């Protein structure tokens, strides 16, 4: 084997791994002790290598969410998202991180058919991306599948409440649990997913009191989105919290206004190109003296 390797990485990539230990499913699970999580779990979505590098030092978990359908690909929902998309972006996020646990969403149609179908899809995702966990949507009905996967070495994050892949049966993206029957169902779903062995559970778009009840009644850490500050952790879609879109859901806090700042930078660049004031001598190659 050669002792000399040409570094073919581009100047922008930073492939050097930073020594350290990644968070694991058991280490995340162990953050909740006797129903309490001392230090809330920090999770954000990431879809690209560079964003993963920037978020990784601040997070416990990075989620390669199927929200990439809308955020990256401009699709109308998560329904058309494919395994190929999830694997490509999952691998990029794993390459850009060294500390956070990376979880990849199982896309619609890749797991609902049977536990065996779910195992085939989840194992492909893990082999092709190097991620440490998958996330799938659904409560009581998915519990046997979650048990099947966890018993076969695949850590699973559950997802209950507003489950966007079910938008066609739910009829929209409104908050769930306004009726007593639905509130009870969300709690039962969370308990079933917990009993099935999910090491963490995302609770999305539910009335605050339901999220609090869920957090109190399951043993796995509950990660809220549009849920409650009482959850064991929080997750947001990165492009929402950075202010990349004009419209954001009510539960999103915008921590920046990146869309406006990118627009300004692109506008200044366009002006300078048109005025021939870019590039300047600083950005041009000249013969060496
Ligand atoms: O796809 C996604 O980004 C998600 C989060 C909103 C939890 O599932």
């Amino acid at each position: 084997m050669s002792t000399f390797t040409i570094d073919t990485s581009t100047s922008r990539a930073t492939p050097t791994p930073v020594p350290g230990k990644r968070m694991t499913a058991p280490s995340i699970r162990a953050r909740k002790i006797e129903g309490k999580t001392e230090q809330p779990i920090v999770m954000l979505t990431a879809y690209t290598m560079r964003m993963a590098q920037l978020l990784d030092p601040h997070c416990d978990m990075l989620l390669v969410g199927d929200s990439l359908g809308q955020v990256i690909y401009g699709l109308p929902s998560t329904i058309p998202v494919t395994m190929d998309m999830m694997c490509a972006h999952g691998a990029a996020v794993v390459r850009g991180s060294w500390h956070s646990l990376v979880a990849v969403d199982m896309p619609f149609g890749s797991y609902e058919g049977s536990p065996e179908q779910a195992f085939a899809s989840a194992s492909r995702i893990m082999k092709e991306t190097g991620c440490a966990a998958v996330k799938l949507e659904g409560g009581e009905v998915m519990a046997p599948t979650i048990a099947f996967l966890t018993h076969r070495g695949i850590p699973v994050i559950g997802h209950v409440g507003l489950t966007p892949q079910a938008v066609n049966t739910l009829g929209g993206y409104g908050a769930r649990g306004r009726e007593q029957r639905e509130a009870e169902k969300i709690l039962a779903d969370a308990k079933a997913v917990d009993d099935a062995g999910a090491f963490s559970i995302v609770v999305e778009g539910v009335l605050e009191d339901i999220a609090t009840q869920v957090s109190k009644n399951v043993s796995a850490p509950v990660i809220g989105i549009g849920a409650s500050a009482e959850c064991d952790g929080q997750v947001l879609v990165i492009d929402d919290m950075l202010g990349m879109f004009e419209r954001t859901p009510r539960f999103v806090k915008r921590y920046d206004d990146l869309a406006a700042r990118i627009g300004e930078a692109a506008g200044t660049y366009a002006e300078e190109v048109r005025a021939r004031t870019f590039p300047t001598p600083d950005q041009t190659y000249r013969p060496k003296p």
Side-chain angles (χ1 to χ4, degrees), residues 207-289:
L207 298 199
E208 186 183 24
D209 184 51
I210 300 172
T212 306
Q213 286 306 315
V214 168
S215 299
K216 286 194 173 133
N217 284 283
V218 300
S219 54
V222 171
I223 315 292
I225 173 164
S228 159
E230 296 301 313
C231 290
D232 305 292
Q234 300 293 327
V235 59
L236 282 177
V237 168
I238 185 63
D239 293 61
D240 284 343
M241 67 86 91
L242 291 177
M244 284 291 283
F245 297 108
E246 277 68 37
R247 217 188 124 263
T248 46
R250 174 180 142 73
F251 59 80
V252 172
K253 178 171 174 188
R254 292 163 72 115
Y255 288 82
D256 207 324
D257 192 8
L258 270 198
R261 294 210 280 145
I262 290 171
E264 273 169 36
T268 307
Y269 166 75
E271 271 171 30
E272 292 186 5
V273 169
R274 289 182 185 121
R276 295 193 194 282
T277 56
F278 172 83
T280 68
D282 283 349
Q283 292 106 24
T284 43
Y285 294 107
R286 304 253 159 112
K288 287 201 171 109

Side-chain angles (χ1 to χ4, degrees), residues 45 47 63 65-67 105 135 137 159 202 204 225 235 237:
T45 67
Y47 316 108
L63 172 67
D66 61 352
S67 50
D105 259 344
K135 177 167 81 58
E137 297 183 8
H159 185 154
V202 167
E204 175 169 359
I225 173 164
V235 59
V237 168

